[in-house]
Amino acid sequence: MNPVRAVAFSPKSKILAAAGDSKVIVLYDTSSGEQIANLSGHSAWILSLSWSDTGEYLLSRSVNILCIDMNCKLTFPSSFDGKVKVWSMETKACVATHSETDKAVWNAKWLPKVGKTEGFATAGANRSIAFYREATG
């Protein structure tokens, strides 16, 4: 994975998620350093990762980048699809893709868990904040 643009430790620090230009999230066991899974499904660079409070889910956000030079050292966002993916750690699969806008989603973070609900919020270039009450719904 080269370069890495986002890393996040699970709530109990047992798993490290890393992602970047490869468009794949790689999960590592922090005690052994071993790679334990690859999560594929993004079509663009992954720029942020966020774990739910329980560690059951992982959020990822990506953006399409246009390289200006041959080595991709000069870049700028070429398009934003406004999508955030939710990954289940039980199945190691994407369980939801949320898309409220055709503009950039700048950030996505989990809300503190209340009862059985694991919700999250997104903020984007459409000048709004969206709240999702369920990880998969």
Side-chain angles (χ1 to χ4, degrees):
M1 176 180 342
N2 190 7
V4 173
R5 298 190 182 270
V7 293
F9 285 98
S10 64
K12 294 182 181 178
S13 298
K14 292 184 178 184
I15 300 172
L16 172 67
D21 296 6
S22 66
K23 306 171 192 171
V24 174
I25 301 166
V26 181
L27 302 179
Y28 297 94
D29 179 300
T30 57
S31 61
S32 69
E34 296 290 320
Q35 183 175 329
I36 56 175
N38 287 334
L39 309 178
S40 299
H42 277 287
S43 60
W45 293 0
I46 300 167
L47 299 181
S48 69
L49 300 167
S50 178
W51 289 91
S52 65
D53 282 351
T54 62
E56 291 178 62
Y57 299 103
L58 180 68
L59 283 177
S60 59
R61 176 185 64 85
S62 65
V63 64
N64 290 318
I65 301 292
L66 178 63
C67 295
I68 298 172
D69 66 342
M70 293 293 283
N71 297 322
C72 222
K73 291 183 180 183
L74 297 171
T75 64
F76 70 91
S78 64
S79 67
F80 298 106
D81 57 12
K83 290 181 183 169
V84 174
K85 291 189 177 289
V86 181
W87 303 88
S88 165
M89 290 301 101
E90 181 180 341
T91 63
K92 304 291 188 283
C94 180
V95 293
T97 301
H98 295 279
S99 180
E100 291 297 319
T101 178
D102 60 353
K103 295 186 178 183
V105 174
W106 296 123
N107 208 345
K109 294 288 181 187
W110 289 98
L111 301 168
K113 186 172 181 180
V114 178
K116 294 183 178 184
T117 302
E118 294 212 69
F120 62 94
T122 62
N126 63 345
R127 299 182 180 164
S128 69
I129 297 170
F131 292 93
Y132 298 88
R133 295 178 192 225
E134 296 291 329
T136 59

